[in-house]
């Protein structure tokens, strides 16, 4: 009966969810998971002196445990715009994070642990205060 209710909810909520995927907990409960692609890591970049967002021209580098490297550069034309880097999508694990920007010292965060729940990863949000 409970399974039929969840299935019905998945059908009825299709316009709201981008997809519906059922998972079963260790207690036997059924959970409807979305098809959302969730980042494992988010990094907000700020100028340490001013406290203002400073991601314009910055580069995020994520070092995976297996040696893979993910890089992202913010080429935003409007440097006043707030920008959040995101990466390690749907990947749990331990990561080393680096932010580089011309005119600033590199910012590093080592051993960032990303865990997962039944449906997705649990996003870790970091605040990187870079200094000149």
């Amino acid at each position: 009966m409970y399974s039929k209710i969840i299935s019905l909810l998945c059908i009825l909520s299709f316009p709201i969810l981008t997809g519906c995927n059922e998972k079963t907990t260790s207690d036997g409960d059924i959970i409807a998971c979305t098809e959302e692609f969730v980042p494992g890591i988010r990094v907000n970049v700020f100028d340490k002196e001013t406290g203002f967002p400073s991601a314009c021209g910055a580069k995020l580098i994520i070092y995976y445990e297996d040696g893979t490297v993910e890089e992202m550069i913010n080429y935003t034309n409007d440097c006043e715009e707030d920008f959040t880097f995101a990466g390690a999508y749907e990947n749990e694990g331990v990561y080393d994070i680096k932010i580089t920007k011309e005119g600033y010292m590199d910012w590093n965060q080592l051993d960032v642990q990303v865990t997962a729940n039944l449906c997705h990863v649990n996003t870790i949000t970091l605040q990187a205060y870079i200094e000149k």
Side-chain angles (χ1 to χ4, degrees):
M1 175 70 173
Y2 187 72
S3 164
K4 289 181 182 180
I5 292 171
I6 293 297
S7 295
L8 182 59
L9 285 173
C10 287
I11 292 168
L12 294 175
S13 62
F14 183 78
I16 298 169
L17 302 174
T18 58
C20 196
N21 185 358
E22 291 182 356
K23 302 280 181 157
T24 305
T25 67
S26 59
D27 297 336
D29 295 331
I30 297 175
I31 296 176
C33 299
T34 64
E35 294 295 324
E36 178 183 13
F37 200 49
V38 178
I41 297 169
R42 281 195 180 120
V43 182
N44 300 308
V45 181
F46 301 94
D47 182 291
K48 187 172 184 177
E49 185 179 320
T50 66
F52 292 123
S54 186
C56 186
K59 177 172 33 172
L60 166 72
I61 306 168
I62 300 175
Y63 298 94
Y64 288 68
E65 291 175 293
D66 67 1
T68 304
V69 176
E70 180 178 346
E71 293 185 8
M72 182 184 304
I73 298 174
N74 178 8
Y75 291 112
T76 304
N77 291 331
D78 180 6
C79 289
E80 299 300 318
E81 185 177 312
D82 186 19
F83 185 87
T84 300
F85 286 107
Y89 280 84
E90 294 297 356
N91 284 299
E92 64 180 308
V94 179
Y95 303 94
D96 292 339
I97 312 297
K98 180 188 274 187
I99 297 288
T100 64
K101 182 174 177 175
E102 190 173 323
Y104 288 82
M105 296 189 311
D106 290 352
W107 178 92
N108 295 286
Q109 183 71 50
L110 304 177
D111 299 324
V112 176
Q113 176 74 46
V114 175
T115 59
N117 56 48
L118 195 58
C119 297
H120 301 287
V121 293
N122 300 308
T123 304
I124 300 296
T125 301
L126 303 171
Q127 309 298 324
Y129 286 88
I130 57 177
E131 57 186 306
K132 294 181 179 183

